[in-house]
Amino acid sequence: MLKPEDFYGALREVEFSLIDDLVKKAIAEGHSAPQILNEGLIAGMAIVGKEFKARDLWVPDVLLAARNMHRGIELLEPLFSKEGGGSKWKIVLGTVKGDIHDIGKNLVSIMMTGSGFEVVDLGVDVPAEKFVTTIKDHQPQIIGLSALLTTTMLEMRNVIDAIKGSSGDIKPYVIVGGAPVTEAFAREIGADGYGADAVSAVEVAINLLEKK
Ligand code: B12
């Protein structure tokens, strides 16, 4: 059993050595990458989130935890990625305008890549128009929008309206996610799919594409 408190401790460290050791040890002990991610890193980050909410931690602490989380994910990434094979589908991913949270989006990117998608990652704070121009340039089958704030989740509706209202011939499916987003909200704003985590993100995308 992995202990979330151990990962929490490593996420709070200034040095990378603790998170490196913990993730490498968990791999060596035979824990699977999804297990290390969910029971270790994400569970550890949930404690950081709780303390941040309770004001026991501050933005610099959370930034440090985010940096360490990225490091841990980097170590797991090779275990998720499949070798070879041309990409069958393309997804454009981005965190919407006003929002700079990217840990969840990056996990979705890793899982999509590992499942045979070519990923065009637009990063964070992405305006609606950027999604529209990228659809013209890259012709993806799926757009994935991420938002972590109750304020920026509303921006998802603008992006969906901009995509639907654009003049281009290509109208990709739009899937949405991020901690405050729900299935009901996704339906309300006209998204084609919602994923509660990175694994469901892939399942939702593939279900949409295969029903075509
Ligand atoms: C890390 C963090 C930060 C870091 C972000 C660093 C980074 N590079 O991402 C920093 C310090 C920068 C930050 C800043 C802020 N944050 Co912050 N942050 C968090 C924290 C602690 C963890 C988020 C996280 O990474 N979770 C782990 C990942 C793996 O989970 P996830 O993002 O939900 O992603 C999963 C799913 O949602 C899904 N998913 C995600 N994206 C997508 C996309 C698609 C298409 C699909 C299908 C699925 C999907 O799959 C992912 C993998 O399983 C949360 C607390 C929390 N409980 O969420 C607060 C939190 C989100 N932040 C919060 C706040 C308030 C802020 C600030 C406003 C603080 C401030 N006063 O400045 C700023 C806002 C900055 C901005 N404009 O965006 C609040 C939001 C409250 C609200 N109701 O809106 C939270 C909830 C903390 C709290 N409880 O108060 N934050």
Side-chain angles (χ1 to χ4, degrees), residues 5 21 23 34 55 64 68 76 81 85 91 97-98 102 110 112 120 141 147-148 151 154 178 180-181 211-212:
E5 316 81 62
D21 289 350
V23 172
R55 296 179 170 244
L64 184 68
N68 290 341
L76 292 179
S81 308
I91 178 166
K97 192 168 87 181
D102 67 356
I110 291 170
M112 288 285 176
V120 178
Q141 289 81 17
L148 263 285
T151 46
L154 305 175
V181 180
K211 106 182 163 192
K212 231 182 179 179

Side-chain angles (χ1 to χ4, degrees), residues 42 45 49 52-53 59 62-63 66 70 98-105 107-108 144-146 148-150 175-179 195-198 201:
I42 293 182
M45 190 54 125
F52 184 42
K53 193 173 182 183
V59 170
V62 184
L63 273 174
H70 279 134
D99 199 322
I100 60 165
H101 295 85
D102 67 356
I103 296 173
K105 169 190 67 63
L107 282 174
V108 173
L145 307 178
S146 186
L148 263 285
L149 301 172
T150 42
I175 64 170
V176 295
D197 54 46

Side-chain angles (χ1 to χ4, degrees), residues 145 153-154 156-157 160-161 164 176 181 184-191:
L145 307 178
M153 67 193 265
L154 305 175
M156 290 175 152
R157 188 197 292 271
I160 292 172
D161 290 349
K164 292 199 172 149
V176 295
V181 180
F185 178 76
R187 231 176 291 124
E188 192 190 314
I189 61 172

